[in-house]
Amino acid sequence: GNSVTQMEGPVTLSEEAFLTINCTYTATGYPSLFWYVQYPGEGLQLLLKATKADDKGSNKGFEATYRKETTSFHLEKGSVQVSDSAVYFCAPYSGGYQKVTFGTGTKLQVIP
Amino acid sequence: NAGVTQTPKFQVLKTGQSMTLQCAQDMNHEYMSWYRQDPGMGLRLIHYSVGAGITDQGEVPNGYNVSRSTTEDFPLRLLSAAPSQTSVYFCASSYSKIRGHYGYTFGSGTRLTVV
């Protein structure tokens, strides 16, 4: 199965700062990637996905960049807000009936 | 509102007690699964189902049972609760992966404490 390594948090940023969260994986083939966000006290929500190498998914100002040559992908946002404070999970998926593997999550704290 | 509904939201059990965590979805998703979330360990898959009448084990199935008699419901049973089962439990659903995977819809979770 896949294994996933996420950068450890917490990541603390000031409002309007640039955000990058890294995620590396080992998998067979080239998986699709998914990013989920978990706000305090809630379940995970699908944030965005990218389905092919060098593709960029985007949603709510976030972008996912996928680099197959380094088996890594990154979540980025140009200007974070306090409301972006949450835990972010990456989850590669390799197709078929294979299970989705979640990273351990990266906690983001945005301070005013 | 369409989605995944989990009940209860909070539960305290004594060691050895049994209980069932409920999960229901109204999106006609074939795939349903249970995860537990523990600090520093991310999400770990307990059991999953690819359709009514079909279930299988995930990576941490011991101490848990599941069944899937309908497409909508996927309850998780703890037969004899142990303190190691203190965790936050999430139910997630999706369309069958054979159609292509488009991401999971998660419930809001059940926070379980076993004393």
Side-chain angles (χ1 to χ4, degrees):
Chain A
N2 299 341
S3 67
V4 185
T5 302
Q6 271 189 253
M7 61 185 294
E8 293 187 14
V11 174
T12 302
L13 295 174
S14 298
E15 208 165 20
E16 299 184 0
F18 182 83
L19 168 70
T20 299
I21 298 177
N22 299 320
C23 183
T24 59
Y25 67 90
T26 58
T28 54
Y30 299 109
S32 302
L33 71 93
F34 294 82
W35 283 96
Y36 290 84
V37 58
Q38 183 180 31
Y39 299 102
E42 298 183 10
L44 280 72
Q45 302 174 25
L46 179 64
L47 180 61
L48 51 79
K49 60 181 179 180
T51 55
K52 58 182 179 180
D54 299 322
D55 191 13
K56 280 194 176 187
S58 63
N59 184 31
K60 299 181 180 179
F62 289 90
E63 281 193 339
T65 306
Y66 183 7
R67 296 284 181 254
K68 69 176 181 178
E69 64 273 13
T70 59
T71 63
S72 65
F73 44 99
H74 314 281
L75 181 68
E76 298 179 333
K77 187 174 185 181
S79 177
V80 293
Q81 305 300 312
V82 172
S83 57
D84 294 326
S85 298
V87 181
Y88 293 83
F89 293 88
C90 59
Y93 167 66
S94 295
Y97 278 117
Q98 294 193 49
K99 301 175 183 62
V100 174
T101 303
F102 286 86
T104 54
T106 301
K107 185 175 183 179
L108 170 65
Q109 296 176 320
V110 181
I111 56 177
Chain B
N1 292 333
V4 178
T5 302
Q6 287 186 240
T7 56
K9 292 190 181 300
F10 301 94
Q11 183 71 50
V12 178
L13 289 179
K14 295 182 178 179
T15 298
Q17 286 185 316
S18 63
M19 80 160 295
T20 300
L21 281 63
Q22 302 291 344
C23 175
Q25 54 89 12
D26 58 2
M27 298 168 286
N28 204 31
H29 284 170
E30 297 95 343
Y31 183 92
M32 296 185 75
S33 56
W34 279 100
Y35 287 88
R36 58 178 291 173
Q37 184 179 31
D38 301 293
M41 303 191 73
L43 290 166
R44 292 184 291 169
L45 182 64
I46 304 172
H47 285 285
Y48 66 97
S49 168
V50 298
I54 306 170
T55 64
D56 205 348
Q57 297 180 348
E59 58 181 302
V60 288
N62 292 340
Y64 308 95
N65 282 349
V66 292
S67 60
R68 182 98 179 269
S69 56
T70 67
T71 300
E72 294 78 19
D73 300 299
F74 191 45
L76 179 71
R77 297 184 185 84
L78 284 71
L79 298 180
S80 179
S84 61
Q85 294 178 304
T86 294
S87 186
V88 181
Y89 292 85
F90 289 101
C91 180
S93 71
S94 72
Y95 288 113
S96 169
K97 292 192 176 75
I98 291 302
R99 299 195 202 184
H101 184 57
Y102 302 100
Y104 291 138
T105 301
F106 280 84
S108 57
T110 295
R111 185 174 294 274
L112 175 67
T113 302
V114 182
V115 298

